Coordinates of all heavy atoms in Angstrom, one line a residue:
M1 N -12.4 13.8 -52.2 CA -12.5 13.1 -50.9 C -11.3 13.6 -50.0 O -10.2 13.8 -50.5 CB -12.3 11.6 -51.1 CG -12.3 10.8 -49.8 SD -12.2 9.0 -50.0 CE -14.0 8.7 -50.2
T2 N -11.6 13.9 -48.8 CA -10.6 14.4 -47.8 C -10.1 13.2 -47.0 O -10.7 12.1 -47.0 CB -11.2 15.5 -46.9 OG1 -12.2 14.9 -46.1 CG2 -11.8 16.6 -47.7
L3 N -9.1 13.4 -46.2 CA -8.6 12.4 -45.3 C -9.6 12.0 -44.3 O -9.8 10.8 -44.0 CB -7.3 12.9 -44.6 CG -6.7 12.0 -43.6 CD1 -6.3 10.7 -44.2 CD2 -5.5 12.6 -42.9
H4 N -10.3 13.0 -43.8 CA -11.4 12.7 -42.8 C -12.5 11.9 -43.5 O -13.0 10.9 -42.8 CB -12.0 14.0 -42.3 CG -12.9 13.8 -41.1 ND1 -12.4 13.4 -39.9 CD2 -14.3 13.8 -41.0 CE1 -13.5 13.2 -39.1 NE2 -14.6 13.5 -39.7
D5 N -12.9 12.2 -44.7 CA -13.8 11.3 -45.4 C -13.3 9.9 -45.6 O -14.1 8.9 -45.4 CB -14.1 11.9 -46.8 CG -14.8 13.2 -46.8 OD1 -15.5 13.6 -45.8 OD2 -14.7 14.0 -47.8
W6 N -12.1 9.8 -45.9 CA -11.5 8.4 -46.1 C -11.6 7.7 -44.8 O -11.9 6.5 -44.7 CB -10.0 8.5 -46.5 CG -9.3 7.3 -46.3 CD1 -8.3 7.1 -45.5 CD2 -9.4 6.0 -47.0 NE1 -7.8 5.8 -45.5 CE2 -8.5 5.1 -46.5 CE3 -10.3 5.6 -48.0 CZ2 -8.4 3.8 -46.9 CZ3 -10.2 4.3 -48.5 CH2 -9.3 3.4 -47.9
I7 N -11.2 8.3 -43.7 CA -11.3 7.7 -42.4 C -12.7 7.2 -42.0 O -12.9 6.1 -41.6 CB -10.7 8.6 -41.3 CG1 -9.2 8.8 -41.5 CG2 -11.0 8.1 -39.9 CD1 -8.6 9.9 -40.7
D8 N -13.7 8.1 -42.3 CA -15.0 7.7 -42.0 C -15.5 6.5 -42.9 O -16.1 5.6 -42.4 CB -16.0 8.9 -42.3 CG -15.9 10.0 -41.3 OD1 -15.4 9.7 -40.2 OD2 -16.4 11.1 -41.6
E9 N -15.1 6.5 -44.1 CA -15.5 5.4 -45.0 C -14.8 4.1 -44.6 O -15.4 3.0 -44.6 CB -15.1 5.7 -46.5 CG -15.9 6.8 -47.1 CD -17.3 6.3 -47.6 OE1 -17.4 5.1 -47.9 OE2 -18.2 7.1 -47.6
L10 N -13.5 4.2 -44.2 CA -12.8 3.0 -43.8 C -13.3 2.5 -42.5 O -13.5 1.2 -42.4 CB -11.3 3.4 -43.7 CG -10.4 2.2 -43.3 CD1 -10.4 1.1 -44.3 CD2 -8.9 2.7 -43.2
C11 N -13.7 3.3 -41.6 CA -14.3 2.8 -40.3 C -15.6 2.1 -40.6 O -15.9 1.1 -40.0 CB -14.5 4.0 -39.4 SG -12.9 4.6 -38.6
D12 N -16.4 2.7 -41.5 CA -17.6 2.0 -41.9 C -17.4 0.7 -42.5 O -18.0 -0.3 -42.2 CB -18.4 2.9 -42.9 CG -19.0 4.1 -42.2 OD1 -19.1 4.2 -41.0 OD2 -19.5 5.0 -42.9
A13 N -16.4 0.6 -43.5 CA -16.1 -0.6 -44.2 C -15.6 -1.7 -43.2 O -15.8 -2.9 -43.4 CB -15.1 -0.4 -45.3
L14 N -14.8 -1.3 -42.2 CA -14.2 -2.2 -41.2 C -15.2 -2.5 -40.1 O -14.8 -3.2 -39.2 CB -12.9 -1.6 -40.7 CG -11.8 -1.5 -41.7 CD1 -10.5 -0.8 -41.1 CD2 -11.4 -2.8 -42.4
E15 N -16.3 -1.8 -40.1 CA -17.3 -2.0 -39.1 C -16.8 -1.7 -37.7 O -16.9 -2.4 -36.7 CB -17.9 -3.4 -39.1 CG -18.6 -3.7 -40.4 CD -19.2 -5.1 -40.5 OE1 -19.2 -5.8 -39.5 OE2 -19.7 -5.4 -41.6
I16 N -16.1 -0.5 -37.6 CA -15.6 0.0 -36.3 C -16.1 1.4 -36.1 O -16.3 2.1 -37.0 CB -14.0 -0.1 -36.2 CG1 -13.4 0.8 -37.3 CG2 -13.5 -1.5 -36.3 CD1 -11.9 0.9 -37.2
D17 N -16.2 1.7 -34.8 CA -16.5 3.1 -34.4 C -15.3 3.7 -33.7 O -15.0 3.3 -32.6 CB -17.7 3.1 -33.5 CG -18.2 4.5 -33.1 OD1 -17.9 5.4 -33.9 OD2 -18.8 4.7 -32.1
A18 N -14.5 4.5 -34.4 CA -13.3 5.0 -33.8 C -13.1 6.5 -34.1 O -13.5 7.0 -35.1 CB -12.1 4.2 -34.4
E19 N -12.6 7.2 -33.1 CA -12.2 8.6 -33.2 C -10.7 8.5 -33.4 O -10.0 7.9 -32.7 CB -12.6 9.4 -32.0 CG -14.1 9.6 -31.9 CD -14.4 10.6 -30.8 OE1 -13.7 11.5 -30.6 OE2 -15.5 10.4 -30.2
I20 N -10.3 9.2 -34.5 CA -8.9 9.2 -34.8 C -8.2 10.6 -34.7 O -8.8 11.6 -35.2 CB -8.7 8.7 -36.3 CG1 -9.4 7.4 -36.6 CG2 -7.2 8.7 -36.7 CD1 -8.9 6.3 -35.8
D21 N -7.1 10.6 -34.0 CA -6.3 11.8 -34.0 C -5.3 11.8 -35.1 O -4.2 11.2 -35.0 CB -5.6 11.9 -32.6 CG -4.8 13.2 -32.5 OD1 -4.5 13.9 -33.5 OD2 -4.4 13.5 -31.3
E22 N -5.8 12.3 -36.3 CA -5.0 12.1 -37.5 C -3.6 12.7 -37.3 O -2.6 12.2 -37.8 CB -5.6 12.8 -38.7 CG -7.0 12.2 -39.1 CD -8.2 13.0 -38.6 OE1 -8.0 14.2 -38.1 OE2 -9.3 12.5 -38.7
G23 N -3.5 13.9 -36.7 CA -2.2 14.6 -36.5 C -1.3 13.7 -35.7 O -0.1 13.6 -36.1
L24 N -1.7 13.1 -34.6 CA -0.9 12.2 -33.8 C -0.3 11.1 -34.6 O 0.9 10.8 -34.6 CB -1.7 11.7 -32.6 CG -0.9 10.8 -31.7 CD1 -0.1 11.6 -30.7 CD2 -1.9 9.9 -31.0
V25 N -1.2 10.4 -35.4 CA -0.8 9.3 -36.2 C 0.2 9.7 -37.3 O 1.2 9.0 -37.5 CB -2.0 8.5 -36.7 CG1 -1.6 7.4 -37.7 CG2 -2.9 8.0 -35.6
L26 N -0.1 10.8 -38.0 CA 0.7 11.3 -39.1 C 2.1 11.7 -38.5 O 3.1 11.5 -39.2 CB 0.0 12.4 -39.8 CG -1.2 11.9 -40.6 CD1 -1.9 13.1 -41.2 CD2 -0.8 10.9 -41.7
D27 N 2.1 12.4 -37.4 CA 3.4 12.8 -36.8 C 4.2 11.6 -36.5 O 5.4 11.6 -36.7 CB 3.2 13.6 -35.5 CG 2.7 15.0 -35.8 OD1 2.7 15.5 -37.0 OD2 2.2 15.7 -34.9
L28 N 3.6 10.6 -35.9 CA 4.4 9.3 -35.6 C 4.9 8.7 -36.8 O 6.0 8.2 -36.9 CB 3.5 8.4 -34.7 CG 4.1 7.0 -34.4 CD1 5.4 7.2 -33.6 CD2 3.2 6.1 -33.7
A29 N 4.0 8.6 -37.8 CA 4.5 8.0 -39.1 C 5.7 8.8 -39.7 O 6.6 8.2 -40.2 CB 3.3 8.0 -40.1
R30 N 5.6 10.1 -39.7 CA 6.7 10.9 -40.2 C 8.0 10.6 -39.4 O 9.1 10.5 -40.0 CB 6.3 12.4 -40.1 CG 7.4 13.3 -40.6 CD 7.3 14.8 -40.1 NE 7.4 14.7 -38.6 CZ 6.5 15.4 -37.8 NH1 5.5 16.0 -38.3 NH2 6.6 15.3 -36.5
D31 N 7.9 10.6 -38.0 CA 9.0 10.4 -37.2 C 9.7 9.0 -37.5 O 10.9 8.9 -37.6 CB 8.7 10.5 -35.7 CG 8.3 12.0 -35.4 OD1 8.7 12.9 -36.1 OD2 7.7 12.1 -34.3
A32 N 8.8 8.0 -37.6 CA 9.4 6.7 -37.9 C 10.0 6.6 -39.3 O 11.1 6.1 -39.5 CB 8.2 5.6 -37.8
A33 N 9.4 7.3 -40.3 CA 9.9 7.3 -41.6 C 11.3 8.0 -41.7 O 12.2 7.6 -42.3 CB 8.9 7.9 -42.6
H34 N 11.3 9.1 -41.0 CA 12.6 9.9 -41.0 C 13.7 9.4 -40.2 O 14.8 9.5 -40.6 CB 12.3 11.4 -40.5 CG 11.5 12.2 -41.5 ND1 11.4 13.5 -41.4 CD2 10.6 11.8 -42.5 CE1 10.6 14.0 -42.4 NE2 10.1 13.0 -43.0
N35 N 13.4 8.7 -39.1 CA 14.4 8.3 -38.2 C 14.8 6.8 -38.3 O 15.9 6.4 -38.0 CB 14.0 8.5 -36.7 CG 14.0 10.0 -36.4 OD1 15.1 10.6 -36.5 ND2 12.9 10.5 -36.1
V36 N 13.9 6.0 -38.9 CA 14.2 4.6 -39.0 C 14.3 4.3 -40.5 O 15.4 4.3 -41.0 CB 13.0 3.7 -38.4 CG1 13.3 2.2 -38.6 CG2 12.8 4.1 -37.0
E37 N 13.2 4.2 -41.2 CA 13.2 4.1 -42.7 C 11.7 4.2 -43.1 O 10.8 4.0 -42.3 CB 13.9 2.9 -43.2 CG 13.3 1.6 -42.8 CD 14.0 0.4 -43.4 OE1 13.6 0.0 -44.5 OE2 14.9 -0.1 -42.7
R38 N 11.5 4.6 -44.4 CA 10.1 4.8 -44.8 C 9.2 3.7 -44.5 O 8.1 3.9 -44.0 CB 10.1 5.2 -46.3 CG 10.7 6.5 -46.6 CD 10.6 6.9 -48.0 NE 9.2 7.3 -48.2 CZ 8.9 8.0 -49.3 NH1 9.8 8.3 -50.2 NH2 7.6 8.3 -49.5
P39 N 9.5 2.4 -44.8 CA 8.6 1.4 -44.5 C 8.2 1.2 -43.0 O 7.2 0.6 -42.6 CB 9.3 0.1 -45.0 CG 10.3 0.6 -46.0 CD 10.7 1.9 -45.5
A40 N 9.0 1.9 -42.1 CA 8.6 1.8 -40.7 C 7.4 2.6 -40.4 O 6.7 2.4 -39.4 CB 9.8 2.4 -39.9
A41 N 7.0 3.6 -41.2 CA 5.8 4.4 -40.9 C 4.6 3.6 -40.8 O 3.9 3.7 -39.8 CB 5.7 5.5 -42.0
P42 N 4.1 2.8 -41.8 CA 2.9 2.1 -41.6 C 3.0 1.0 -40.6 O 2.0 0.8 -39.8 CB 2.6 1.5 -43.0 CG 3.9 1.5 -43.7 CD 4.7 2.7 -43.1
I43 N 4.1 0.4 -40.4 CA 4.3 -0.7 -39.4 C 4.2 -0.1 -38.0 O 3.5 -0.6 -37.1 CB 5.6 -1.4 -39.6 CG1 5.8 -2.0 -41.0 CG2 5.9 -2.4 -38.5 CD1 4.7 -3.0 -41.3
T44 N 4.8 1.1 -37.8 CA 4.8 1.8 -36.5 C 3.4 2.2 -36.2 O 2.9 2.0 -35.0 CB 5.7 3.0 -36.5 OG1 7.0 2.5 -36.8 CG2 5.8 3.7 -35.2
T45 N 2.7 2.8 -37.1 CA 1.3 3.2 -36.8 C 0.4 2.0 -36.6 O -0.5 2.1 -35.7 CB 0.7 4.2 -37.9 OG1 0.8 3.5 -39.2 CG2 1.5 5.5 -37.9
Y46 N 0.6 1.0 -37.3 CA -0.2 -0.3 -37.1 C 0.0 -0.8 -35.7 O -0.9 -1.1 -34.9 CB 0.1 -1.3 -38.1 CG -0.5 -2.7 -37.7 CD1 -1.8 -3.0 -38.1 CD2 0.3 -3.6 -37.0 CE1 -2.3 -4.2 -37.7 CE2 -0.3 -4.9 -36.7 CZ -1.6 -5.1 -37.0 OH -2.1 -6.3 -36.7
L47 N 1.3 -0.8 -35.3 CA 1.6 -1.3 -33.9 C 1.1 -0.4 -32.8 O 0.7 -0.9 -31.8 CB 3.1 -1.6 -33.8 CG 3.6 -2.7 -34.6 CD1 5.2 -2.8 -34.6 CD2 3.0 -4.1 -34.2
L48 N 1.1 0.9 -33.1 CA 0.5 1.8 -32.1 C -1.0 1.5 -32.0 O -1.5 1.4 -30.8 CB 0.6 3.3 -32.6 CG -0.1 4.3 -31.8 CD1 0.4 4.4 -30.4 CD2 -0.2 5.6 -32.5
G49 N -1.7 1.3 -33.1 CA -3.1 0.9 -33.0 C -3.4 -0.4 -32.3 O -4.3 -0.5 -31.5
Y50 N -2.5 -1.4 -32.6 CA -2.6 -2.7 -31.9 C -2.4 -2.6 -30.4 O -3.2 -3.1 -29.6 CB -1.6 -3.6 -32.6 CG -1.7 -5.0 -32.1 CD1 -2.8 -5.8 -32.6 CD2 -0.8 -5.6 -31.2 CE1 -2.9 -7.2 -32.2 CE2 -0.9 -6.9 -30.8 CZ -2.0 -7.7 -31.3 OH -2.1 -9.0 -30.9
A51 N -1.4 -1.8 -30.0 CA -1.1 -1.6 -28.6 C -2.3 -0.9 -27.9 O -2.7 -1.3 -26.8 CB 0.2 -0.9 -28.4
A52 N -2.8 0.1 -28.6 CA -3.9 0.9 -28.0 C -5.1 0.0 -27.9 O -5.8 0.1 -26.9 CB -4.2 2.1 -28.9
G53 N -5.4 -0.8 -28.8 CA -6.5 -1.8 -28.7 C -6.4 -2.8 -27.6 O -7.3 -3.0 -26.9
L54 N -5.2 -3.3 -27.5 CA -5.0 -4.3 -26.4 C -5.1 -3.7 -25.0 O -5.6 -4.3 -24.1 CB -3.6 -4.9 -26.6 CG -3.3 -5.9 -27.7 CD1 -1.9 -6.3 -27.7 CD2 -4.2 -7.2 -27.5
Q55 N -4.7 -2.4 -24.9 CA -4.7 -1.8 -23.6 C -6.0 -1.0 -23.4 O -6.1 -0.3 -22.4 CB -3.5 -0.8 -23.5 CG -2.2 -1.6 -23.5 CD -1.0 -0.7 -23.4 OE1 -1.0 0.4 -22.9 NE2 0.1 -1.1 -24.0
E56 N -6.9 -1.0 -24.4 CA -8.1 -0.2 -24.4 C -7.8 1.2 -24.0 O -8.4 1.8 -23.1 CB -9.1 -0.9 -23.4 CG -9.6 -2.3 -23.9 CD -10.6 -2.9 -22.9 OE1 -11.1 -2.2 -22.0 OE2 -10.8 -4.1 -23.1
A57 N -6.8 1.7 -24.7 CA -6.3 3.1 -24.4 C -7.3 4.2 -24.6 O -8.0 4.2 -25.6 CB -5.0 3.3 -25.3
D58 N -7.3 5.1 -23.7 CA -8.1 6.3 -23.8 C -7.1 7.3 -24.6 O -6.0 7.0 -24.8 CB -8.5 6.9 -22.5 CG -7.4 7.3 -21.5 OD1 -6.3 7.6 -22.0 OD2 -7.7 7.2 -20.3
P59 N -7.6 8.5 -24.9 CA -6.8 9.4 -25.7 C -5.5 9.8 -25.0 O -4.4 9.9 -25.7 CB -7.7 10.7 -25.9 CG -9.1 10.1 -25.9 CD -9.0 9.0 -24.9
E60 N -5.5 9.9 -23.7 CA -4.2 10.2 -23.0 C -3.2 9.1 -23.1 O -2.0 9.3 -23.3 CB -4.5 10.6 -21.5 CG -5.2 12.0 -21.4 CD -5.5 12.3 -19.9 OE1 -5.1 11.5 -19.0 OE2 -6.2 13.3 -19.7
Q61 N -3.7 7.9 -22.9 CA -2.9 6.7 -23.0 C -2.3 6.6 -24.4 O -1.1 6.2 -24.6 CB -3.6 5.4 -22.6 CG -3.9 5.3 -21.2 CD -4.9 4.2 -20.9 OE1 -6.0 4.1 -21.5 NE2 -4.5 3.3 -20.0
L62 N -3.1 6.9 -25.4 CA -2.7 6.8 -26.8 C -1.6 7.8 -27.0 O -0.6 7.5 -27.7 CB -3.9 7.1 -27.8 CG -3.5 7.0 -29.3 CD1 -3.1 5.6 -29.6 CD2 -4.7 7.4 -30.1
E63 N -1.7 9.0 -26.5 CA -0.6 10.0 -26.6 C 0.7 9.5 -26.0 O 1.7 9.7 -26.5 CB -1.1 11.3 -26.0 CG -2.1 12.0 -26.9 CD -2.5 13.4 -26.3 OE1 -1.7 13.9 -25.4 OE2 -3.5 13.9 -26.7
R64 N 0.6 8.8 -24.8 CA 1.8 8.3 -24.2 C 2.4 7.2 -25.0 O 3.6 7.1 -25.1 CB 1.4 7.8 -22.8 CG 1.2 8.9 -21.8 CD 1.2 8.4 -20.3 NE 0.1 7.5 -20.0 CZ -1.1 7.9 -19.6 NH1 -1.4 9.2 -19.5 NH2 -2.1 7.1 -19.4
L65 N 1.6 6.3 -25.6 CA 2.1 5.2 -26.4 C 2.8 5.8 -27.6 O 3.9 5.4 -28.0 CB 1.0 4.3 -26.8 CG 0.3 3.4 -25.8 CD1 -0.9 2.7 -26.3 CD2 1.3 2.4 -25.3
A66 N 2.2 6.8 -28.2 CA 2.8 7.5 -29.4 C 4.1 8.2 -29.0 O 5.1 8.1 -29.8 CB 1.8 8.5 -30.0
A67 N 4.1 8.8 -27.9 CA 5.3 9.5 -27.4 C 6.4 8.4 -27.2 O 7.6 8.7 -27.5 CB 5.1 10.3 -26.1
T68 N 6.1 7.3 -26.7 CA 7.1 6.2 -26.5 C 7.7 5.8 -27.8 O 8.9 5.6 -27.9 CB 6.5 5.0 -25.7 OG1 6.0 5.5 -24.4 CG2 7.4 3.9 -25.6
A69 N 6.8 5.6 -28.8 CA 7.2 5.1 -30.1 C 8.1 6.2 -30.8 O 9.1 5.9 -31.4 CB 6.0 4.8 -31.0
T70 N 7.7 7.5 -30.6 CA 8.4 8.6 -31.2 C 9.8 8.7 -30.6 O 10.8 8.8 -31.3 CB 7.7 9.9 -31.0 OG1 6.5 9.9 -31.8 CG2 8.5 11.1 -31.5
E71 N 9.9 8.5 -29.3 CA 11.2 8.6 -28.6 C 12.1 7.5 -29.1 O 13.3 7.7 -29.3 CB 10.9 8.5 -27.1 CG 12.2 8.6 -26.2 CD 11.9 8.5 -24.8 OE1 10.9 9.0 -24.3 OE2 12.7 7.9 -24.1
L72 N 11.5 6.3 -29.2 CA 12.3 5.2 -29.7 C 12.8 5.4 -31.1 O 14.0 5.2 -31.4 CB 11.5 3.9 -29.7 CG 12.2 2.6 -30.1 CD1 13.5 2.3 -29.3 CD2 11.3 1.4 -30.1
A73 N 11.9 5.9 -32.0 CA 12.3 6.2 -33.4 C 13.5 7.3 -33.4 O 14.4 7.2 -34.2 CB 11.1 6.7 -34.2
E74 N 13.3 8.3 -32.5 CA 14.4 9.3 -32.5 C 15.7 8.8 -32.0 O 16.8 9.1 -32.5 CB 13.9 10.5 -31.6 CG 12.8 11.3 -32.3 CD 12.2 12.3 -31.4 OE1 12.4 12.3 -30.2 OE2 11.4 13.1 -31.9
K75 N 15.7 7.9 -31.0 CA 16.9 7.2 -30.6 C 17.5 6.3 -31.7 O 18.7 6.2 -31.8 CB 16.6 6.4 -29.3 CG 16.4 7.2 -28.1 CD 16.2 6.3 -26.9 CE 15.8 7.1 -25.7 NZ 15.5 6.2 -24.5
W76 N 16.6 5.6 -32.3 CA 17.0 4.7 -33.4 C 17.8 5.4 -34.5 O 18.8 5.0 -35.0 CB 15.8 4.0 -34.0 CG 16.1 2.9 -35.0 CD1 16.3 3.1 -36.3 CD2 16.2 1.5 -34.7 NE1 16.6 1.9 -36.9 CE2 16.5 0.9 -35.9 CE3 16.0 0.8 -33.6 CZ2 16.6 -0.5 -36.0 CZ3 16.1 -0.6 -33.7 CH2 16.5 -1.2 -34.9
G77 N 17.2 6.6 -34.9 CA 17.8 7.4 -35.9 C 19.1 8.1 -35.4 O 19.9 8.6 -36.2
G78 N 19.2 8.2 -34.1 CA 20.4 8.9 -33.5 C 20.5 10.3 -33.8 O 21.5 11.0 -33.5
G79 N 19.5 10.9 -34.4 CA 19.5 12.3 -34.7 C 20.6 12.7 -35.7 O 21.0 13.9 -35.7
D80 N 21.1 11.8 -36.4 CA 22.3 12.1 -37.3 C 21.9 12.5 -38.7 O 22.7 12.7 -39.5 CB 23.3 10.9 -37.3 CG 22.7 9.6 -37.8 OD1 21.7 9.7 -38.6 OD2 23.2 8.6 -37.4
R81 N 20.6 12.6 -39.0 CA 20.2 13.0 -40.3 C 20.3 14.5 -40.4 O 20.0 15.3 -39.5 CB 18.8 12.6 -40.6 CG 18.7 11.1 -40.7 CD 17.4 10.8 -41.4 NE 17.4 9.4 -41.6 CZ 17.0 8.7 -42.6 NH1 16.5 9.4 -43.7 NH2 17.0 7.4 -42.7
D82 N 20.8 15.0 -41.5 CA 21.1 16.4 -41.7 C 20.1 16.9 -42.7 O 20.2 16.5 -43.9 CB 22.5 16.7 -42.1 CG 22.8 18.1 -42.4 OD1 21.9 19.0 -42.2 OD2 24.0 18.4 -42.7
T83 N 19.1 17.7 -42.3 CA 18.1 18.2 -43.3 C 18.7 19.1 -44.3 O 18.0 19.5 -45.3 CB 16.9 18.9 -42.5 OG1 17.4 19.9 -41.7 CG2 16.1 17.9 -41.7
D84 N 19.9 19.6 -44.1 CA 20.6 20.4 -45.1 C 21.3 19.5 -46.1 O 21.8 20.0 -47.1 CB 21.5 21.4 -44.5 CG 20.8 22.4 -43.7 OD1 19.7 22.8 -44.0 OD2 21.4 22.9 -42.6
D85 N 21.4 18.2 -45.8 CA 22.1 17.3 -46.7 C 21.1 16.8 -47.8 O 20.2 16.1 -47.4 CB 22.7 16.2 -45.9 CG 23.5 15.2 -46.8 OD1 23.4 15.2 -48.0 OD2 24.3 14.4 -46.2
P86 N 21.4 17.0 -49.1 CA 20.4 16.6 -50.1 C 20.2 15.1 -50.1 O 19.1 14.6 -50.4 CB 21.1 17.0 -51.4 CG 22.1 18.1 -51.0 CD 22.5 17.8 -49.6
E87 N 21.1 14.3 -49.7 CA 20.9 12.8 -49.6 C 19.9 12.5 -48.6 O 19.1 11.6 -48.8 CB 22.2 12.1 -49.4 CG 23.1 12.1 -50.6 CD 24.4 11.3 -50.4 OE1 24.4 10.4 -49.5 OE2 25.4 11.6 -51.1
D88 N 19.9 13.1 -47.4 CA 19.0 12.8 -46.4 C 17.6 13.3 -46.8 O 16.6 12.7 -46.5 CB 19.4 13.5 -45.0 CG 20.5 12.7 -44.4 OD1 20.8 11.6 -44.7 OD2 21.2 13.3 -43.5
L89 N 17.5 14.5 -47.4 CA 16.2 15.0 -47.9 C 15.6 14.1 -49.0 O 14.4 14.0 -49.0 CB 16.4 16.4 -48.4 CG 16.5 17.5 -47.3 CD1 16.7 18.8 -47.9 CD2 15.3 17.5 -46.4
E90 N 16.4 13.6 -49.8 CA 15.9 12.8 -51.0 C 15.1 11.6 -50.5 O 14.0 11.4 -51.1 CB 17.1 12.3 -51.8 CG 16.7 11.5 -53.0 CD 18.0 11.1 -53.8 OE1 18.7 12.0 -54.2 OE2 18.2 9.9 -53.9
E91 N 15.5 11.0 -49.4 CA 14.8 9.8 -49.0 C 13.4 10.1 -48.4 O 12.5 9.4 -48.5 CB 15.6 9.1 -47.9 CG 14.9 7.8 -47.3 CD 15.8 7.2 -46.3 OE1 17.0 7.3 -46.3 OE2 15.2 6.5 -45.4
T92 N 13.2 11.3 -47.8 CA 12.0 11.7 -47.1 C 11.2 12.7 -47.9 O 10.1 13.1 -47.4 CB 12.3 12.1 -45.7 OG1 13.2 13.3 -45.8 CG2 12.9 11.0 -44.9
E93 N 11.7 13.3 -48.9 CA 11.1 14.3 -49.7 C 9.7 13.9 -50.1 O 9.5 12.8 -50.7 CB 11.9 14.7 -50.9 CG 11.4 16.0 -51.6 CD 12.4 16.4 -52.6 OE1 12.3 15.9 -53.8 OE2 13.4 17.1 -52.3
G94 N 8.7 14.8 -49.8 CA 7.3 14.5 -50.2 C 6.6 13.5 -49.3 O 5.4 13.2 -49.6
L95 N 7.2 13.0 -48.3 CA 6.5 12.0 -47.4 C 5.3 12.5 -46.8 O 4.2 11.9 -46.8 CB 7.5 11.5 -46.3 CG 6.9 10.5 -45.4 CD1 6.6 9.2 -46.2 CD2 7.9 10.2 -44.3
D96 N 5.3 13.7 -46.2 CA 4.1 14.3 -45.6 C 3.0 14.4 -46.6 O 1.8 14.1 -46.2 CB 4.4 15.6 -45.0 CG 5.3 15.5 -43.8 OD1 5.4 14.5 -43.1 OD2 6.1 16.5 -43.5
E97 N 3.2 14.8 -47.8 CA 2.2 14.9 -48.8 C 1.6 13.5 -49.1 O 0.4 13.3 -49.3 CB 2.7 15.6 -50.1 CG 3.0 17.0 -49.9 CD 4.4 17.3 -49.3 OE1 5.2 16.3 -49.2 OE2 4.6 18.4 -48.9
E98 N 2.5 12.5 -49.2 CA 2.0 11.2 -49.5 C 1.1 10.6 -48.4 O 0.1 10.0 -48.6 CB 3.2 10.2 -49.6 CG 4.0 10.4 -50.9 CD 5.2 9.5 -50.9 OE1 5.1 8.4 -50.4 OE2 6.2 9.9 -51.5
L99 N 1.4 11.0 -47.1 CA 0.6 10.5 -46.0 C -0.7 11.2 -45.9 O -1.7 10.6 -45.4 CB 1.4 10.6 -44.7 CG 2.6 9.7 -44.6 CD1 3.4 10.0 -43.4 CD2 2.2 8.2 -44.6
V100 N -0.8 12.4 -46.3 CA -1.9 13.2 -46.1 C -2.9 13.3 -47.3 O -4.1 13.2 -47.1 CB -1.6 14.7 -45.7 CG1 -2.8 15.6 -45.6 CG2 -0.8 14.7 -44.4
D101 N -2.4 13.3 -48.5 CA -3.2 13.5 -49.6 C -3.7 12.2 -50.1 O -3.0 11.4 -50.7 CB -2.3 14.2 -50.8 CG -3.2 14.5 -52.0 OD1 -4.4 14.5 -51.9 OD2 -2.6 14.9 -53.0
V102 N -5.0 11.9 -49.9 CA -5.6 10.7 -50.3 C -6.5 10.9 -51.6 O -7.2 9.9 -52.0 CB -6.4 10.0 -49.2 CG1 -5.5 9.6 -48.1 CG2 -7.5 10.9 -48.7
E103 N -6.5 12.1 -52.1 CA -7.3 12.3 -53.3 C -6.7 11.8 -54.6 O -5.6 11.7 -54.7 CB -7.6 13.8 -53.5 CG -8.5 14.3 -52.3 CD -8.9 15.7 -52.5 OE1 -9.9 15.9 -53.2 OE2 -8.1 16.5 -52.0

């Protein structure tokens, strides 16, 4: 099963018809996890979806909402994480694979 298959199955199960920009959502989840803390990733993406639904956002509006959330996450983190520092890498190591690999 691929991520796209999972999304299709989940939409069917939830009885919704939605087109998902997986890359946009995964990028936002990564930014929240790296700049805030790991549990912020699902909460942030949930709130993005909630805001998009309330505003009946089109794809351009969704991108603006995601950009706003990303900007906030980057400010929250202060950009002080050092990707060369093993302690900073340890917390986020493997995160992208966890978010993408649903098999």
Side-chain angles (χ1 to χ4, degrees):
M1 178 178 272
T2 67
L3 178 58
H4 190 73
D5 293 336
W6 164 249
I7 292 168
D8 287 344
E9 290 283 330
L10 182 57
C11 286
D12 288 346
L14 297 175
E15 298 179 6
I16 59 173
D17 183 26
E19 291 188 34
I20 307 297
D21 183 343
E22 298 100 10
L24 179 83
V25 174
L26 293 173
D27 287 347
L28 177 57
R30 181 200 60 230
D31 293 339
H34 288 202
N35 290 299
V36 182
E37 60 180 272
R38 289 183 78 164
I43 301 300
T44 303
T45 55
Y46 170 82
L47 291 173
L48 172 68
Y50 187 73
L54 286 176
Q55 297 179 29
E56 297 180 12
D58 63 25
E60 288 178 7
Q61 290 169 308
L62 181 64
E63 287 182 20
R64 284 193 296 273
L65 291 169
T68 298
T70 295
E71 183 179 322
L72 180 61
E74 288 171 349
K75 286 180 184 176
W76 187 275
D80 57 28
R81 292 198 178 220
D82 181 358
T83 56
D84 293 328
D85 183 343
E87 287 184 23
D88 285 342
L89 282 177
E90 184 178 299
E91 182 178 330
T92 58
E93 191 172 87
L95 179 63
D96 291 332
E97 291 82 13
E98 290 176 31
L99 292 173
V100 175
D101 187 10
V102 294
E103 293 185 87

